[in-house]
Amino acid sequence: MKALFSSTKINRFFSRFCTYLFLIVLSIIIIYPLLITVQSAFNSSDLTAFTLDPHMHWTLANFKQLFSQTLYLTWFKNTMVIAISTMIIQVIIVTLAGYTYSRYRFKGRKNGLIFFLVIQMVPTMAALTAYFVLGLIINGLDQYWFLTMVYVGGGIPMNTWLMKGYFDTIPRDLDESARIDGAGHLRILLQINLPLAMPMIAVQALWAFMGPFGDYLLSAFLLRSPEHMTVAVGLQQFIADPTNQRVAMFAAGSFLISIPIVILFFLLQRNFQSGLTAGGTKG
């Protein structure tokens, strides 16, 4: 009995040790490049590569140059417009589509879900020519609205599946109870299911908002003029020339990109848990 207890204790210790070791290694992998980026953004030296220097001199000169010598503020504004538009439109469409596929049975429902999976298998690279030709036909090249529609369309298939799966976890008994009380389809959606689905809706909003900030390929392919570029395309110009790498300004611009994303995360954070009980109380 004593040997069994000792063996169990050793296994528990080994399990915890491996868990903490994994978390420590993962934290280092995540935090180290972040530290390099932040330090490079505030470094007074003319960097040609990302380095971690504990004895560096901190300054805001890189940010001043970024605002005065480049079109960064214009790029940032463009990205914010595209990101907010993409977030609002995609969340509305995906939420309604996911709810429809989860709660209703109609002709073509199964085929529609399969079609979403097939579309998701097509890589972005394979669709670039199609996007370009479509933009050329409808005069959408170098236009914010066309890039926004491409982002929204690309996010609908898989996110609809995710939203449908989340709505499937919400008990249908709540819908039946509300229907017995005289609630219609719209009221059941708005007052019962949406509050319960707020964690997934918040995640969808955050994903949709982050996409335009990190995407380079589509925005570089569809937006041509410098005043219409997004931050990802604009920042790439700072490190595109091997003989003139403006690493500090690139890091400063990358640091500023994280600010709206972090703000939105904290604004949506309460929704990650509030939806678990928000819609299940009859009032």
Side-chain angles (χ1 to χ4, degrees):
M1 186 69 180
K2 186 175 181 181
L4 180 62
F5 176 78
S6 177
S7 176
T8 303
K9 190 174 181 180
I10 293 175
N11 290 335
R12 187 181 304 169
F13 171 79
F14 183 75
S15 176
R16 289 183 178 179
F17 174 79
C18 292
T19 300
Y20 286 124
L21 180 63
F22 172 77
L23 292 176
I24 292 173
V25 173
L26 186 63
S27 299
I28 294 174
I29 294 175
I30 295 175
I31 295 176
Y32 184 73
L34 294 178
L35 289 177
I36 293 179
T37 302
V38 172
Q39 191 181 74
S40 300
F42 292 93
N43 199 327
S44 60
S45 303
D46 188 15
L47 300 177
T48 57
F50 289 100
T51 57
L52 189 61
D53 182 11
H55 305 293
M56 63 163 249
H57 177 66
W58 295 76
T59 180
L60 295 175
N62 297 320
F63 295 93
K64 294 178 181 178
Q65 294 178 12
L66 190 67
F67 296 148
S68 61
Q69 300 178 11
T70 69
L71 296 175
Y72 184 82
L73 292 178
T74 302
W75 301 335
F76 194 89
K77 182 199 70 174
N78 299 340
T79 310
M80 286 293 296
V81 171
I82 296 173
I84 294 174
S85 302
T86 301
M87 177 184 67
I88 294 174
I89 299 173
Q90 182 172 307
V91 166
I92 293 175
I93 294 177
V94 167
T95 302
L96 295 178
Y99 180 77
T100 301
Y101 278 107
S102 174
R103 286 300 192 261
Y104 300 103
R105 299 295 181 268
F106 50 89
K107 187 176 181 180
R109 174 180 176 273
K110 184 177 180 180
N111 292 333
L113 291 173
I114 295 176
F115 176 74
F116 281 162
L117 284 180
V118 173
I119 289 296
Q120 192 64 30
M121 295 178 186
V122 179
T124 303
M125 288 288 293
L128 284 179
T129 303
Y131 290 146
F132 182 83
V133 173
L134 179 61
L136 199 61
I137 293 175
I138 64 177
N139 196 26
L141 295 180
D142 207 25
Q143 300 292 332
Y144 302 146
W145 62 266
F146 181 67
L147 182 59
T148 300
M149 291 301 102
V150 171
Y151 284 143
V152 172
I156 286 177
M158 184 55 66
N159 290 323
T160 297
W161 264 98
L162 294 175
M163 188 61 72
K164 173 194 173 296
Y166 196 91
F167 276 120
D168 287 342
T169 64
I170 300 176
R172 292 177 178 269
D173 295 342
L174 297 175
D175 298 16
E176 298 299 331
S177 300
R179 195 170 288 111
I180 292 175
D181 290 340
H185 295 285
L186 184 61
R187 186 176 180 185
I188 292 174
L189 170 63
L190 297 179
Q191 296 187 3
I192 303 297
N193 288 284
L194 278 190
L196 290 172
M198 282 307 297
M200 179 55 71
I201 294 176
V203 171
Q204 295 284 351
L206 187 61
W207 284 351
F209 184 81
M210 291 172 56
F213 281 95
D215 176 69
Y216 170 79
L217 186 62
L218 281 175
S219 52
F221 197 72
L222 299 177
L223 299 178
R224 301 306 181 89
S225 56
E227 63 273 11
H228 288 167
M229 290 180 178
T230 59
V231 287
V233 181
L235 289 178
Q236 195 272 342
Q237 297 178 352
F238 297 159
I239 57 174
D241 185 2
T243 62
N244 185 25
Q245 298 252 325
R246 293 179 287 178
V247 174
M249 292 181 63
F250 178 88
S254 302
F255 174 79
L256 293 176
I257 289 176
S258 65
I259 295 178
I261 297 175
V262 171
I263 292 175
L264 181 63
F265 173 80
F266 282 109
L267 291 177
L268 296 175
Q269 189 175 21
R270 62 184 183 87
N271 294 312
F272 295 149
Q273 295 181 348
S274 64
L276 299 178
T277 57
T281 304
K282 178 181 176 181

